[in-house]
Amino acid sequence: MKVARTIAETRSALEDVRDGPIGLVPTMGGLHEGHLSLLRAAREECDTVVMSLFVNPAQFGDEHDLASYPRDEERDLALARDAGVDLVFAPSTEEMYPAGFQTWVEVTEVGSRLEGAFRPGHFRGVATVVLKLFSVVRPDRAYFGQKDAQQVAVIRQMIRDLALDVDLRVLPTVRDDDGLALSSRNALLTTEERKRALALPRALATKDLTAARALLARSNGLDVDYVEVAEFDPPVLAGAVRVGSVRLIDNVALEGDSK
Ligand code: PAJ
């Protein structure tokens, strides 16, 4: 497995493998089974698997959230190697946002509701970095998790609007045995906070907006940002809560397949 720190290195490493499909799995590290499921799907479907590892400052509104985001590159690289990744693109912030950077991608409608309303600028940061990753890697397929359903909707819209030549692959949410959706931020929860956080998946599992809101209103020790039905593809019941200093999002599909 090769680790490239620059755009130039990444492009030259991929030069000779363009005859077969290239899969890209964008990540911010803190790898868990959710990320690994994307890597496995990419490994199955593509000749070359590229994982990006970049904690993207542009998608964090809150300095504390950015500073406390779990970072353990050595561990992430070992897991990526075990998952059969061919190339990890792990750039510096300066490589992705060189001095004078001023070009942003804004998916105006899909990116402004729900998460976008609570985290202004978040999806602008996501769309911009993902477009740049697409430009650097030029993948045939890009892999994303349904866990971040609105992120998928934003990227799908961007691909459509900008006629990007990439096949979007979406994989189901991976959960722990207790039902909590895996998230890099779960590592920041105390045992007590984790118990309280379980109210979110339990509420969403009702697949009923009124019941979910009522359940969360009765739960102690967590603040609800929103619980809403979102008309994504597939439609989902989505929610965001804060437990201590950790913010968690989750969703369940309301129709179609059981992602
Ligand atoms: P990150 O949170 O590291 O997630 C990387 C990918 O893993 C995303 O597509 C996300 O939806 C997926 N993922 C996370 N938890 C999952 C779970 N429990 N089950 C299935 N998939 C899961 O999402 C980002 O990074 C960033 O916004 C990024 C796209 C890399 C742009 O910076």
Side-chain angles (χ1 to χ4, degrees), residues 3-38:
V3 181
R5 302 282 170 190
T6 66
I7 292 167
E9 269 176 276
T10 305
R11 288 199 168 129
S12 88
L14 294 173
E15 227 163 62
D16 296 334
V17 298
R18 296 238 166 250
D19 44 344
I22 297 176
L24 170 65
V25 181
T27 83
M28 300 200 299
L31 298 192
H32 50 65
E33 273 300 317
H35 299 108
L36 298 183
S37 73
L38 305 184

Side-chain angles (χ1 to χ4, degrees), residues 188-252:
L188 305 171
L189 294 169
T190 64
T191 314
E192 181 51 40
E193 285 170 340
R194 199 193 151 91
K195 275 192 204 143
R196 287 188 252 145
L198 287 177
L200 178 60
R202 284 184 188 142
L204 298 178
T206 63
K207 298 196 177 194
D208 181 278
L209 181 59
T210 312
R213 282 187 175 153
L215 255 171
L216 281 169
R218 283 204 303 275
S219 305
N220 293 321
L222 100 190
D223 293 304
V224 180
D225 276 352
Y226 62 81
V227 182
E228 297 282 358
V229 172
E231 295 302 324
F232 302 143
D233 173 22
V236 295
L237 180 61
V241 300
R242 283 168 286 118
V243 186
S245 61
V246 185
R247 191 167 177 284
L248 299 172
I249 61 169
D250 196 356
N251 71 87
V252 295

Side-chain angles (χ1 to χ4, degrees), residues 25-29 32 34-35 37-38 52 54 56 59 69 122 126 129-130 133 143-148 151 155 171-175 181-184:
V25 181
T27 83
M28 300 200 299
H32 50 65
H35 299 108
S37 73
L38 305 184
S52 62
F54 179 60
N56 174 31
Q59 69 186 77
Y69 201 83
H122 170 67
V126 169
V129 84
V130 169
L133 292 169
Y143 294 80
F144 290 88
Q146 176 66 12
K147 155 83 177 16
D148 299 280
Q151 172 167 277
I155 296 188
L171 277 289
T173 302
V174 178
R175 296 177 183 281
L182 296 185
S183 162
S184 306

Side-chain angles (χ1 to χ4, degrees), residues 45-190:
E45 297 174 1
C46 303
D47 288 353
T48 304
V49 177
V50 181
M51 181 183 96
S52 62
L53 175 51
F54 179 60
V55 182
N56 174 31
Q59 69 186 77
F60 288 81
D62 175 9
E63 285 294 326
H64 172 74
D65 189 25
L66 176 61
S68 64
Y69 201 83
R71 287 174 177 85
D72 185 346
E73 189 182 270
E74 213 177 305
R75 176 180 174 276
D76 289 338
L77 292 180
L79 287 168
R81 187 175 292 111
D82 289 348
V85 170
D86 298 298
L87 173 67
V88 175
F89 175 47
S92 64
T93 301
E94 295 69 40
E95 184 71 5
M96 291 303 274
Y97 298 103
F101 187 96
Q102 54 188 286
T103 303
W104 298 99
V105 181
E106 195 128 27
V107 180
T108 50
E109 272 173 51
V110 187
S112 63
R113 340 174 19 217
L114 303 172
E115 282 301 285
F118 281 88
R119 304 181 68 189
H122 170 67
F123 287 119
R124 177 175 108 138
V126 169
T128 303
V129 84
V130 169
L131 181 60
K132 186 152 185 173
L133 292 169
F134 286 178
S135 157
V136 171
V137 173
R138 289 200 286 127
D140 298 278
R141 300 180 186 125
Y143 294 80
F144 290 88
Q146 176 66 12
K147 155 83 177 16
D148 299 280
Q150 193 175 5
Q151 172 167 277
V152 167
V154 163
I155 296 188
R156 182 175 285 134
Q157 187 73 39
M158 175 178 79
I159 290 173
R160 177 171 171 262
D161 290 350
L162 301 181
L164 303 178
D165 194 12
V166 57
D167 182 12
L168 178 66
R169 306 277 292 115
V170 182
L171 277 289
T173 302
V174 178
R175 296 177 183 281
D176 257 330
D177 292 341
D178 59 8
L180 193 66
L182 296 185
S183 162
S184 306
R185 287 190 179 86
N186 292 356
L188 305 171
L189 294 169
T190 64

